[in-house]
């Protein structure tokens, strides 16, 4: 997910054992700036819960907040991140975070790729007639692909833990369902970005 208070990008993909990605759904939740913050967060929370209930994901990945000069924007993004994390935890899902640079590198090979480059590569990776729009939706899909390919910070041997807002958490802090999911992913995972030209 690409968290934002005005526009929150949502994306869901299926990743098969050969690391081929298929788009399930992409979209954006919009909330009006004139609305009170708690109602905007509620609208986003309800949309995320609806997606989880309808699509049945095995994990939730949200873009990790990064430093900005605009403090108000950072606070809004952090609030939405919290909503996403709670929704994932309530559904007993692994909740992971990847930075924008990590998601960009996963789909384009460069952590400094532009939004248009991300959109283009997401389109190619998923074999779509056109890129998901708006850019927030494409960013959310890139985040989902990144997590599907790279995992949530869990190492191949399971000794490195999934990423959380405060850094790393111990494997023992995961629920049994999260531990089973992480073990299955670790057994099947290759690390590093995949050049979409060689994905078939």
């Amino acid at each position: 997910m690409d968290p934002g208070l005005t526009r929150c990008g949502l994306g869901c993909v299926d990743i098969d054992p050969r690391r081929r990605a298929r788009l399930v759904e992409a979209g954006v939740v919009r909330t009006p700036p004139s609305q009170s913050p708690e109602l905007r967060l509620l609208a986003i929370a309800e949309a995320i819960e609806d997606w989880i209930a309808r699509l049945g994901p095995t994990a939730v990945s949200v873009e990790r907040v990064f430093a900005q000069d605009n403090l108000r924007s950072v606070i809004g993004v952090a609030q939405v991140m919290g909503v996403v994390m709670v929704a994932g935890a309530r559904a007993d899902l692994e909740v992971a975070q990847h930075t924008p640079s990590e998601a960009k590198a996963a789909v384009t090979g460069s952590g400094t790729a532009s939004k248009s480059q991300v959109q283009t590569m997401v389109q190619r990776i998923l074999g779509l007639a056109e890129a998901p729009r708006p850019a927030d939706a494409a960013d959310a899909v890139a985040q989902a692909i990144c997590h599907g390919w790279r995992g949530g910070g869990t190492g191949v041997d399971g000794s490195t833990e999934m990423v959380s807002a405060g850094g790393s958490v111990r494997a023992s802090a995961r629920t049994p369902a999260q531990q089973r999911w992480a073990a299955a992913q670790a057994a099947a995972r290759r690390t590093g970005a995949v050049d979409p030209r060689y994905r078939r």
Side-chain angles (χ1 to χ4, degrees), residues 102-113:
E102 289 171 331
K104 290 176 181 179
V107 299
T108 73
S110 171
T112 59

Side-chain angles (χ1 to χ4, degrees), residues 100-122:
S101 294
E102 289 171 331
K104 290 176 181 179
V107 299
T108 73
S110 171
T112 59
S114 66
K115 283 189 175 290
S116 63
Q117 289 173 320
V118 170
Q119 286 178 299
T120 298
M121 290 308 298
V122 164

Side-chain angles (χ1 to χ4, degrees), residues 69-137:
D69 292 332
N70 188 337
L71 181 60
R72 180 176 295 181
S73 177
V74 170
I75 290 173
V77 170
Q79 289 172 332
V80 175
M81 285 179 63
V83 166
V84 173
M85 294 166 72
V86 168
R90 281 183 173 164
D92 200 26
L93 299 175
E94 175 183 347
V95 178
Q97 298 176 53
H98 299 278
T99 65
S101 294
E102 289 171 331
K104 290 176 181 179
V107 299
T108 73
S110 171
T112 59
S114 66
K115 283 189 175 290
S116 63
Q117 289 173 320
V118 170
Q119 286 178 299
T120 298
M121 290 308 298
V122 164
Q123 178 183 351
R124 290 182 185 176
I125 290 166
L126 298 175
L128 303 176
E130 59 182 29
R133 297 183 187 282
D136 306 274

Side-chain angles (χ1 to χ4, degrees), residues 19-187:
R19 297 166 60 84
R20 291 177 298 193
R22 179 183 69 85
L23 180 66
V24 176
E25 192 169 333
V28 173
V29 182
R30 291 180 170 86
T31 64
S34 59
Q35 198 172 37
S36 60
E38 69 275 14
L39 294 180
R40 299 175 75 183
L41 292 170
L42 176 62
I44 293 169
E46 290 175 342
I48 294 168
E49 289 166 359
D50 173 69
W51 271 55
I52 291 174
R54 286 190 302 105
L55 305 178
T58 56
V60 172
S61 181
V62 60
E63 183 178 287
R64 189 187 308 168
V65 68
F66 56 99
Q68 292 184 9
D69 292 332
N70 188 337
L71 181 60
R72 180 176 295 181
S73 177
V74 170
I75 290 173
V77 170
Q79 289 172 332
V80 175
M81 285 179 63
V83 166
V84 173
M85 294 166 72
V86 168
R90 281 183 173 164
D92 200 26
L93 299 175
E94 175 183 347
V95 178
Q97 298 176 53
H98 299 278
T99 65
S101 294
E102 289 171 331
K104 290 176 181 179
V107 299
T108 73
S110 171
T112 59
S114 66
K115 283 189 175 290
S116 63
Q117 289 173 320
V118 170
Q119 286 178 299
T120 298
M121 290 308 298
V122 164
Q123 178 183 351
R124 290 182 185 176
I125 290 166
L126 298 175
L128 303 176
E130 59 182 29
R133 297 183 187 282
D136 306 274
D139 287 346
V141 173
Q143 178 77 200
I145 293 170
C146 175
H147 184 67
W149 282 352
R150 296 186 169 187
T154 303
V156 174
D157 60 358
S159 62
T160 304
E161 321 312 342
M162 66 181 179
V163 178
S164 68
S168 293
V169 295
R170 295 178 294 110
S172 59
R174 296 193 182 108
T175 67
Q178 290 171 343
Q179 291 175 24
R180 289 192 298 273
W181 186 93
Q185 288 294 303

